[in-house]
PDB file of all heavy atoms in Angstrom:
ATOM      1  N   PRO A  59       0.823  -1.203   0.000  1.00 52.00           N
ATOM      2  CA  PRO A  59       0.000   0.000   0.000  1.00 52.00           C
ATOM      3  C   PRO A  59       0.857   1.253   0.000  1.00 52.00           C
ATOM      4  O   PRO A  59       2.081   1.191   0.028  1.00 52.00           O
ATOM      5  CB  PRO A  59      -0.774  -0.117   1.316  1.00 52.00           C
ATOM      6  CG  PRO A  59       0.178  -0.854   2.211  1.00 52.00           C
ATOM      7  CD  PRO A  59       0.912  -1.822   1.330  1.00 52.00           C
ATOM      8  N   SER A  60       0.188   2.393  -0.013  1.00 55.00           N
ATOM      9  CA  SER A  60       0.911   3.658   0.012  1.00 55.00           C
ATOM     10  C   SER A  60       1.569   3.861   1.379  1.00 55.00           C
ATOM     11  O   SER A  60       1.206   3.228   2.369  1.00 55.00           O
ATOM     12  CB  SER A  60      -0.052   4.812  -0.270  1.00 55.00           C
ATOM     13  OG  SER A  60      -1.097   4.812   0.688  1.00 55.00           O
ATOM     14  N   GLN A  61       2.527   4.767   1.436  1.00 49.00           N
ATOM     15  CA  GLN A  61       3.329   4.966   2.634  1.00 49.00           C
ATOM     16  C   GLN A  61       2.495   5.412   3.835  1.00 49.00           C
ATOM     17  O   GLN A  61       2.866   5.162   4.969  1.00 49.00           O
ATOM     18  CB  GLN A  61       4.418   6.000   2.357  1.00 49.00           C
ATOM     19  CG  GLN A  61       5.535   5.476   1.460  1.00 49.00           C
ATOM     20  CD  GLN A  61       6.282   4.316   2.097  1.00 49.00           C
ATOM     21  OE1 GLN A  61       6.601   4.351   3.276  1.00 49.00           O
ATOM     22  NE2 GLN A  61       6.544   3.274   1.327  1.00 49.00           N
ATOM     23  N   ASP A  62       1.363   6.075   3.586  1.00 54.00           N
ATOM     24  CA  ASP A  62       0.590   6.585   4.716  1.00 54.00           C
ATOM     25  C   ASP A  62      -0.175   5.475   5.442  1.00 54.00           C
ATOM     26  O   ASP A  62      -0.714   5.700   6.515  1.00 54.00           O
ATOM     27  CB  ASP A  62      -0.378   7.690   4.277  1.00 54.00           C
ATOM     28  CG  ASP A  62      -1.373   7.205   3.236  1.00 54.00           C
ATOM     29  OD1 ASP A  62      -1.111   6.171   2.605  1.00 54.00           O
ATOM     30  OD2 ASP A  62      -2.398   7.888   3.052  1.00 54.00           O
ATOM     31  N   MET A  63      -0.228   4.266   4.864  1.00 53.00           N
ATOM     32  CA  MET A  63      -0.864   3.146   5.552  1.00 53.00           C
ATOM     33  C   MET A  63       0.210   2.430   6.363  1.00 53.00           C
ATOM     34  O   MET A  63       0.736   1.394   5.987  1.00 53.00           O
ATOM     35  CB  MET A  63      -1.527   2.207   4.554  1.00 53.00           C
ATOM     36  CG  MET A  63      -2.636   2.874   3.753  1.00 53.00           C
ATOM     37  SD  MET A  63      -3.393   1.771   2.537  1.00 53.00           S
ATOM     38  CE  MET A  63      -4.262   0.629   3.584  1.00 53.00           C
ATOM     39  N   ARG A  64       0.569   3.018   7.483  1.00 49.00           N
ATOM     40  CA  ARG A  64       1.701   2.557   8.269  1.00 49.00           C
ATOM     41  C   ARG A  64       1.432   1.178   8.864  1.00 49.00           C
ATOM     42  O   ARG A  64       0.320   0.852   9.263  1.00 49.00           O
ATOM     43  CB  ARG A  64       1.986   3.561   9.382  1.00 49.00           C
ATOM     44  CG  ARG A  64       2.409   4.927   8.842  1.00 49.00           C
ATOM     45  CD  ARG A  64       2.495   5.954   9.950  1.00 49.00           C
ATOM     46  NE  ARG A  64       3.485   5.568  10.949  1.00 49.00           N
ATOM     47  CZ  ARG A  64       3.668   6.227  12.082  1.00 49.00           C
ATOM     48  NH1 ARG A  64       2.931   7.276  12.368  1.00 49.00           N
ATOM     49  NH2 ARG A  64       4.579   5.838  12.939  1.00 49.00           N
ATOM     50  N   ASP A  65       2.496   0.368   8.914  1.00 59.00           N
ATOM     51  CA  ASP A  65       2.464  -0.961   9.516  1.00 59.00           C
ATOM     52  C   ASP A  65       1.512  -1.916   8.809  1.00 59.00           C
ATOM     53  O   ASP A  65       1.125  -2.947   9.359  1.00 59.00           O
ATOM     54  CB  ASP A  65       2.076  -0.884  11.007  1.00 59.00           C
ATOM     55  CG  ASP A  65       3.013   0.002  11.795  1.00 59.00           C
ATOM     56  OD1 ASP A  65       4.215  -0.001  11.492  1.00 59.00           O
ATOM     57  OD2 ASP A  65       2.532   0.697  12.709  1.00 59.00           O
ATOM     58  N   PHE A  66       1.097  -1.589   7.585  1.00 66.00           N
ATOM     59  CA  PHE A  66       0.146  -2.432   6.868  1.00 66.00           C
ATOM     60  C   PHE A  66       0.703  -3.827   6.637  1.00 66.00           C
ATOM     61  O   PHE A  66      -0.010  -4.819   6.745  1.00 66.00           O
ATOM     62  CB  PHE A  66      -0.214  -1.783   5.527  1.00 66.00           C
ATOM     63  CG  PHE A  66      -1.407  -2.400   4.848  1.00 66.00           C
ATOM     64  CD1 PHE A  66      -2.679  -1.907   5.052  1.00 66.00           C
ATOM     65  CD2 PHE A  66      -1.251  -3.490   4.003  1.00 66.00           C
ATOM     66  CE1 PHE A  66      -3.770  -2.485   4.432  1.00 66.00           C
ATOM     67  CE2 PHE A  66      -2.330  -4.077   3.380  1.00 66.00           C
ATOM     68  CZ  PHE A  66      -3.602  -3.558   3.592  1.00 66.00           C
ATOM     69  N   GLY A  67       1.995  -3.895   6.339  1.00 64.00           N
ATOM     70  CA  GLY A  67       2.618  -5.188   6.060  1.00 64.00           C
ATOM     71  C   GLY A  67       2.530  -6.137   7.238  1.00 64.00           C
ATOM     72  O   GLY A  67       2.437  -7.349   7.069  1.00 64.00           O
ATOM     73  N   VAL A  68       2.574  -5.597   8.453  1.00 65.00           N
ATOM     74  CA  VAL A  68       2.446  -6.421   9.652  1.00 65.00           C
ATOM     75  C   VAL A  68       0.996  -6.825   9.855  1.00 65.00           C
ATOM     76  O   VAL A  68       0.676  -7.982  10.119  1.00 65.00           O
ATOM     77  CB  VAL A  68       2.976  -5.665  10.889  1.00 65.00           C
ATOM     78  CG1 VAL A  68       2.696  -6.452  12.159  1.00 65.00           C
ATOM     79  CG2 VAL A  68       4.465  -5.401  10.731  1.00 65.00           C
ATOM     80  N   ARG A  69       0.066  -5.867   9.697  1.00 70.00           N
ATOM     81  CA  ARG A  69      -1.341  -6.134   9.963  1.00 70.00           C
ATOM     82  C   ARG A  69      -1.955  -7.120   8.985  1.00 70.00           C
ATOM     83  O   ARG A  69      -2.867  -7.864   9.338  1.00 70.00           O
ATOM     84  CB  ARG A  69      -2.142  -4.828   9.933  1.00 70.00           C
ATOM     85  CG  ARG A  69      -1.726  -3.801  10.963  1.00 70.00           C
ATOM     86  CD  ARG A  69      -2.828  -2.779  11.226  1.00 70.00           C
ATOM     87  NE  ARG A  69      -3.391  -2.213  10.016  1.00 70.00           N
ATOM     88  CZ  ARG A  69      -2.888  -1.169   9.372  1.00 70.00           C
ATOM     89  NH1 ARG A  69      -1.760  -0.610   9.815  1.00 70.00           N
ATOM     90  NH2 ARG A  69      -3.477  -0.690   8.301  1.00 70.00           N
ATOM     91  N   VAL A  70      -1.466  -7.131   7.760  1.00 75.00           N
ATOM     92  CA  VAL A  70      -2.083  -8.008   6.767  1.00 75.00           C
ATOM     93  C   VAL A  70      -1.773  -9.475   7.057  1.00 75.00           C
ATOM     94  O   VAL A  70      -2.524 -10.359   6.644  1.00 75.00           O
ATOM     95  CB  VAL A  70      -1.622  -7.617   5.341  1.00 75.00           C
ATOM     96  CG1 VAL A  70      -0.208  -8.101   5.057  1.00 75.00           C
ATOM     97  CG2 VAL A  70      -2.593  -8.139   4.286  1.00 75.00           C
ATOM     98  N   LYS A  71      -0.716  -9.751   7.792  1.00 80.00           N
ATOM     99  CA  LYS A  71      -0.357 -11.134   8.105  1.00 80.00           C
ATOM    100  C   LYS A  71      -1.071 -11.656   9.344  1.00 80.00           C
ATOM    101  O   LYS A  71      -1.471 -12.816   9.397  1.00 80.00           O
ATOM    102  CB  LYS A  71       1.152 -11.246   8.295  1.00 80.00           C
ATOM    103  CG  LYS A  71       1.948 -10.989   7.015  1.00 80.00           C
ATOM    104  CD  LYS A  71       3.440 -11.087   7.272  1.00 80.00           C
ATOM    105  CE  LYS A  71       4.223 -10.787   6.008  1.00 80.00           C
ATOM    106  NZ  LYS A  71       5.685 -10.827   6.234  1.00 80.00           N
ATOM    107  N   LEU A  72      -1.201 -10.812  10.376  1.00 83.00           N
ATOM    108  CA  LEU A  72      -1.825 -11.229  11.626  1.00 83.00           C
ATOM    109  C   LEU A  72      -2.870 -10.204  12.050  1.00 83.00           C
ATOM    110  O   LEU A  72      -2.619  -9.001  11.985  1.00 83.00           O
ATOM    111  CB  LEU A  72      -0.783 -11.354  12.739  1.00 83.00           C
ATOM    112  CG  LEU A  72       0.209 -12.513  12.695  1.00 83.00           C
ATOM    113  CD1 LEU A  72       1.130 -12.445  13.908  1.00 83.00           C
ATOM    114  CD2 LEU A  72      -0.497 -13.849  12.660  1.00 83.00           C
ATOM    115  N   ASN A  73      -4.017 -10.714  12.505  1.00 87.00           N
ATOM    116  CA  ASN A  73      -5.073  -9.817  12.968  1.00 87.00           C
ATOM    117  C   ASN A  73      -5.658 -10.358  14.266  1.00 87.00           C
ATOM    118  O   ASN A  73      -5.987 -11.543  14.360  1.00 87.00           O
ATOM    119  CB  ASN A  73      -6.176  -9.706  11.906  1.00 87.00           C
ATOM    120  CG  ASN A  73      -7.124  -8.561  12.204  1.00 87.00           C
ATOM    121  OD1 ASN A  73      -6.696  -7.440  12.453  1.00 87.00           O
ATOM    122  ND2 ASN A  73      -8.418  -8.842  12.187  1.00 87.00           N
ATOM    123  N   PRO A  74      -5.786  -9.524  15.298  1.00 88.00           N
ATOM    124  CA  PRO A  74      -6.306 -10.010  16.579  1.00 88.00           C
ATOM    125  C   PRO A  74      -7.815 -10.222  16.565  1.00 88.00           C
ATOM    126  O   PRO A  74      -8.553  -9.574  15.817  1.00 88.00           O
ATOM    127  CB  PRO A  74      -5.924  -8.883  17.547  1.00 88.00           C
ATOM    128  CG  PRO A  74      -5.828  -7.665  16.694  1.00 88.00           C
ATOM    129  CD  PRO A  74      -5.355  -8.119  15.357  1.00 88.00           C
ATOM    130  N   VAL A  75      -8.245 -11.173  17.398  1.00 91.00           N
ATOM    131  CA  VAL A  75      -9.686 -11.358  17.650  1.00 91.00           C
ATOM    132  C   VAL A  75     -10.056 -10.340  18.730  1.00 91.00           C
ATOM    133  O   VAL A  75      -9.785 -10.536  19.916  1.00 91.00           O
ATOM    134  CB  VAL A  75      -9.987 -12.792  18.108  1.00 91.00           C
ATOM    135  CG1 VAL A  75     -11.493 -12.969  18.324  1.00 91.00           C
ATOM    136  CG2 VAL A  75      -9.464 -13.803  17.087  1.00 91.00           C
ATOM    137  N   LYS A  76     -10.649  -9.241  18.326  1.00 92.00           N
ATOM    138  CA  LYS A  76     -10.800  -8.073  19.200  1.00 92.00           C
ATOM    139  C   LYS A  76     -11.548  -8.373  20.486  1.00 92.00           C
ATOM    140  O   LYS A  76     -11.201  -7.867  21.557  1.00 92.00           O
ATOM    141  CB  LYS A  76     -11.488  -6.954  18.425  1.00 92.00           C
ATOM    142  CG  LYS A  76     -10.684  -6.471  17.226  1.00 92.00           C
ATOM    143  CD  LYS A  76     -11.434  -5.398  16.440  1.00 92.00           C
ATOM    144  CE  LYS A  76     -10.631  -4.974  15.204  1.00 92.00           C
ATOM    145  NZ  LYS A  76     -11.351  -3.960  14.411  1.00 92.00           N
ATOM    146  N   SER A  77     -12.590  -9.208  20.426  1.00 93.00           N
ATOM    147  CA  SER A  77     -13.416  -9.465  21.605  1.00 93.00           C
ATOM    148  C   SER A  77     -12.666 -10.191  22.715  1.00 93.00           C
ATOM    149  O   SER A  77     -13.101 -10.179  23.873  1.00 93.00           O
ATOM    150  CB  SER A  77     -14.647 -10.282  21.205  1.00 93.00           C
ATOM    151  OG  SER A  77     -14.252 -11.528  20.651  1.00 93.00           O
ATOM    152  N   MET A  78     -11.550 -10.808  22.375  1.00 94.00           N
ATOM    153  CA  MET A  78     -10.797 -11.575  23.371  1.00 94.00           C
ATOM    154  C   MET A  78      -9.757 -10.730  24.109  1.00 94.00           C
ATOM    155  O   MET A  78      -9.177 -11.195  25.093  1.00 94.00           O
ATOM    156  CB  MET A  78     -10.089 -12.757  22.691  1.00 94.00           C
ATOM    157  CG  MET A  78     -11.023 -13.749  22.058  1.00 94.00           C
ATOM    158  SD  MET A  78     -10.121 -15.159  21.413  1.00 94.00           S
ATOM    159  CE  MET A  78      -9.453 -15.854  22.915  1.00 94.00           C
ATOM    160  N   ILE A  79      -9.490  -9.528  23.649  1.00 96.00           N
ATOM    161  CA  ILE A  79      -8.350  -8.758  24.149  1.00 96.00           C
ATOM    162  C   ILE A  79      -8.718  -7.802  25.279  1.00 96.00           C
ATOM    163  O   ILE A  79      -7.992  -7.679  26.263  1.00 96.00           O
ATOM    164  CB  ILE A  79      -7.705  -7.969  22.989  1.00 96.00           C
ATOM    165  CG1 ILE A  79      -7.368  -8.893  21.814  1.00 96.00           C
ATOM    166  CG2 ILE A  79      -6.474  -7.213  23.474  1.00 96.00           C
ATOM    167  CD1 ILE A  79      -6.433 -10.017  22.143  1.00 96.00           C
ATOM    168  N   ASN A  80      -9.826  -7.124  25.173  1.00 96.00           N
ATOM    169  CA  ASN A  80     -10.170  -6.033  26.091  1.00 96.00           C
ATOM    170  C   ASN A  80     -10.234  -6.509  27.546  1.00 96.00           C
ATOM    171  O   ASN A  80     -10.951  -7.449  27.885  1.00 96.00           O
ATOM    172  CB  ASN A  80     -11.515  -5.422  25.690  1.00 96.00           C
ATOM    173  CG  ASN A  80     -11.815  -4.160  26.494  1.00 96.00           C
ATOM    174  OD1 ASN A  80     -10.926  -3.387  26.819  1.00 96.00           O
ATOM    175  ND2 ASN A  80     -13.090  -3.970  26.811  1.00 96.00           N
ATOM    176  N   GLY A  81      -9.430  -5.856  28.400  1.00 96.00           N
ATOM    177  CA  GLY A  81      -9.434  -6.126  29.826  1.00 96.00           C
ATOM    178  C   GLY A  81      -8.697  -7.381  30.249  1.00 96.00           C
ATOM    179  O   GLY A  81      -8.702  -7.734  31.429  1.00 96.00           O
ATOM    180  N   LYS A  82      -8.026  -8.041  29.335  1.00 97.00           N
ATOM    181  CA  LYS A  82      -7.407  -9.332  29.633  1.00 97.00           C
ATOM    182  C   LYS A  82      -5.912  -9.190  29.983  1.00 97.00           C
ATOM    183  O   LYS A  82      -5.218  -8.306  29.491  1.00 97.00           O
ATOM    184  CB  LYS A  82      -7.544 -10.266  28.438  1.00 97.00           C
ATOM    185  CG  LYS A  82      -8.984 -10.664  28.134  1.00 97.00           C
ATOM    186  CD  LYS A  82      -9.638 -11.370  29.306  1.00 97.00           C
ATOM    187  CE  LYS A  82     -10.914 -12.096  28.933  1.00 97.00           C
ATOM    188  NZ  LYS A  82     -11.848 -11.379  28.119  1.00 97.00           N
ATOM    189  N   ARG A  83      -5.473 -10.118  30.847  1.00 98.00           N
ATOM    190  CA  ARG A  83      -4.054 -10.268  31.176  1.00 98.00           C
ATOM    191  C   ARG A  83      -3.533 -11.416  30.304  1.00 98.00           C
ATOM    192  O   ARG A  83      -3.967 -12.557  30.467  1.00 98.00           O
ATOM    193  CB  ARG A  83      -3.869 -10.576  32.646  1.00 98.00           C
ATOM    194  CG  ARG A  83      -4.438  -9.505  33.592  1.00 98.00           C
ATOM    195  CD  ARG A  83      -4.517 -10.047  35.012  1.00 98.00           C
ATOM    196  NE  ARG A  83      -5.362 -11.222  35.064  1.00 98.00           N
ATOM    197  CZ  ARG A  83      -5.376 -12.093  36.087  1.00 98.00           C
ATOM    198  NH1 ARG A  83      -4.564 -11.912  37.124  1.00 98.00           N
ATOM    199  NH2 ARG A  83      -6.175 -13.141  36.066  1.00 98.00           N
ATOM    200  N   ILE A  84      -2.591 -11.104  29.434  1.00 98.00           N
ATOM    201  CA  ILE A  84      -2.225 -12.052  28.384  1.00 98.00           C
ATOM    202  C   ILE A  84      -0.726 -12.384  28.451  1.00 98.00           C
ATOM    203  O   ILE A  84       0.119 -11.485  28.587  1.00 98.00           O
ATOM    204  CB  ILE A  84      -2.552 -11.467  26.988  1.00 98.00           C
ATOM    205  CG1 ILE A  84      -4.035 -11.096  26.909  1.00 98.00           C
ATOM    206  CG2 ILE A  84      -2.179 -12.440  25.877  1.00 98.00           C
ATOM    207  CD1 ILE A  84      -4.394 -10.294  25.665  1.00 98.00           C
ATOM    208  N   VAL A  85      -0.427 -13.673  28.325  1.00 98.00           N
ATOM    209  CA  VAL A  85       0.949 -14.131  28.130  1.00 98.00           C
ATOM    210  C   VAL A  85       1.133 -14.408  26.644  1.00 98.00           C
ATOM    211  O   VAL A  85       0.431 -15.244  26.072  1.00 98.00           O
ATOM    212  CB  VAL A  85       1.255 -15.406  28.936  1.00 98.00           C
ATOM    213  CG1 VAL A  85       2.694 -15.858  28.666  1.00 98.00           C
ATOM    214  CG2 VAL A  85       1.037 -15.187  30.417  1.00 98.00           C
ATOM    215  N   ILE A  86       2.048 -13.686  26.023  1.00 98.00           N
ATOM    216  CA  ILE A  86       2.387 -13.913  24.616  1.00 98.00           C
ATOM    217  C   ILE A  86       3.661 -14.753  24.567  1.00 98.00           C
ATOM    218  O   ILE A  86       4.641 -14.433  25.242  1.00 98.00           O
ATOM    219  CB  ILE A  86       2.637 -12.584  23.880  1.00 98.00           C
ATOM    220  CG1 ILE A  86       1.432 -11.651  24.010  1.00 98.00           C
ATOM    221  CG2 ILE A  86       2.970 -12.827  22.412  1.00 98.00           C
ATOM    222  CD1 ILE A  86       1.751 -10.203  23.664  1.00 98.00           C
ATOM    223  N   VAL A  87       3.656 -15.820  23.782  1.00 98.00           N
ATOM    224  CA  VAL A  87       4.838 -16.665  23.636  1.00 98.00           C
ATOM    225  C   VAL A  87       5.367 -16.532  22.215  1.00 98.00           C
ATOM    226  O   VAL A  87       4.632 -16.716  21.248  1.00 98.00           O
ATOM    227  CB  VAL A  87       4.533 -18.142  23.963  1.00 98.00           C
ATOM    228  CG1 VAL A  87       5.777 -19.002  23.744  1.00 98.00           C
ATOM    229  CG2 VAL A  87       4.047 -18.275  25.399  1.00 98.00           C
ATOM    230  N   GLU A  88       6.649 -16.192  22.115  1.00 96.00           N
ATOM    231  CA  GLU A  88       7.341 -16.111  20.823  1.00 96.00           C
ATOM    232  C   GLU A  88       8.547 -17.030  20.871  1.00 96.00           C
ATOM    233  O   GLU A  88       9.104 -17.292  21.935  1.00 96.00           O
ATOM    234  CB  GLU A  88       7.814 -14.676  20.561  1.00 96.00           C
ATOM    235  CG  GLU A  88       6.975 -13.920  19.539  1.00 96.00           C
ATOM    236  CD  GLU A  88       7.176 -14.404  18.107  1.00 96.00           C
ATOM    237  OE1 GLU A  88       7.532 -15.579  17.890  1.00 96.00           O
ATOM    238  OE2 GLU A  88       6.971 -13.602  17.193  1.00 96.00           O
ATOM    239  N   ASP A  89       8.985 -17.498  19.685  1.00 95.00           N
ATOM    240  CA  ASP A  89      10.148 -18.391  19.681  1.00 95.00           C
ATOM    241  C   ASP A  89      11.462 -17.627  19.769  1.00 95.00           C
ATOM    242  O   ASP A  89      12.453 -18.160  20.270  1.00 95.00           O
ATOM    243  CB  ASP A  89      10.130 -19.311  18.453  1.00 95.00           C
ATOM    244  CG  ASP A  89      10.120 -18.556  17.136  1.00 95.00           C
ATOM    245  OD1 ASP A  89      10.365 -17.334  17.139  1.00 95.00           O
ATOM    246  OD2 ASP A  89       9.859 -19.183  16.092  1.00 95.00           O
ATOM    247  N   SER A  90      11.507 -16.394  19.272  1.00 94.00           N
ATOM    248  CA  SER A  90      12.759 -15.630  19.292  1.00 94.00           C
ATOM    249  C   SER A  90      12.446 -14.175  18.994  1.00 94.00           C
ATOM    250  O   SER A  90      11.398 -13.858  18.427  1.00 94.00           O
ATOM    251  CB  SER A  90      13.758 -16.171  18.264  1.00 94.00           C
ATOM    252  OG  SER A  90      13.181 -16.241  16.982  1.00 94.00           O
ATOM    253  N   VAL A  91      13.372 -13.317  19.385  1.00 93.00           N
ATOM    254  CA  VAL A  91      13.275 -11.893  19.084  1.00 93.00           C
ATOM    255  C   VAL A  91      14.610 -11.469  18.483  1.00 93.00           C
ATOM    256  O   VAL A  91      15.659 -11.623  19.126  1.00 93.00           O
ATOM    257  CB  VAL A  91      12.979 -11.056  20.347  1.00 93.00           C
ATOM    258  CG1 VAL A  91      12.954  -9.571  19.996  1.00 93.00           C
ATOM    259  CG2 VAL A  91      11.664 -11.482  20.982  1.00 93.00           C
ATOM    260  N   VAL A  92      14.581 -10.959  17.263  1.00 90.00           N
ATOM    261  CA  VAL A  92      15.809 -10.534  16.597  1.00 90.00           C
ATOM    262  C   VAL A  92      15.941  -9.016  16.688  1.00 90.00           C
ATOM    263  O   VAL A  92      16.803  -8.498  17.381  1.00 90.00           O
ATOM    264  CB  VAL A  92      15.844 -11.018  15.131  1.00 90.00           C
ATOM    265  CG1 VAL A  92      17.129 -10.543  14.452  1.00 90.00           C
ATOM    266  CG2 VAL A  92      15.757 -12.538  15.073  1.00 90.00           C
ATOM    267  N   ARG A  93      15.079  -8.310  15.989  1.00 89.00           N
ATOM    268  CA  ARG A  93      15.151  -6.840  16.006  1.00 89.00           C
ATOM    269  C   ARG A  93      14.092  -6.216  16.902  1.00 89.00           C
ATOM    270  O   ARG A  93      14.275  -5.121  17.407  1.00 89.00           O
ATOM    271  CB  ARG A  93      15.021  -6.313  14.576  1.00 89.00           C
ATOM    272  CG  ARG A  93      16.158  -6.769  13.679  1.00 89.00           C
ATOM    273  CD  ARG A  93      15.875  -6.468  12.215  1.00 89.00           C
ATOM    274  NE  ARG A  93      16.937  -6.978  11.356  1.00 89.00           N
ATOM    275  CZ  ARG A  93      16.997  -8.216  10.897  1.00 89.00           C
ATOM    276  NH1 ARG A  93      16.033  -9.076  11.207  1.00 89.00           N
ATOM    277  NH2 ARG A  93      17.993  -8.621  10.134  1.00 89.00           N
ATOM    278  N   GLY A  94      12.970  -6.880  17.068  1.00 91.00           N
ATOM    279  CA  GLY A  94      11.944  -6.412  17.997  1.00 91.00           C
ATOM    280  C   GLY A  94      10.910  -5.481  17.404  1.00 91.00           C
ATOM    281  O   GLY A  94       9.904  -5.187  18.052  1.00 91.00           O
TER     282      GLY A  94
END
C-alpha cells in the first residue's frame, strides 16, 4: 500500500480477535526476538 498506511505489512499477516483482548491479562509466547 501507500506509505501513509503505516504498519500495513504487519497487519495483513496477523489480525487479533478483538473481543478476546479487552481487559485481559495475556501471556504472549514467541520463539525468538531478533530486532523487535
Side-chain angles (χ1 to χ4, degrees):
S60 58
Q61 288 297 317
D62 60 341
M63 298 178 70
R64 296 172 61 187
D65 303 324
F66 193 92
V68 173
R69 299 201 311 274
V70 77
K71 294 179 182 178
L72 288 181
N73 193 50
V75 182
K76 297 177 183 179
S77 60
M78 298 185 64
I79 307 301
N80 188 36
K82 294 301 195 314
R83 301 166 301 164
I84 303 170
V85 179
I86 304 163
V87 178
E88 255 288 27
D89 59 13
S90 53
V91 177
V92 179
R93 297 169 183 85

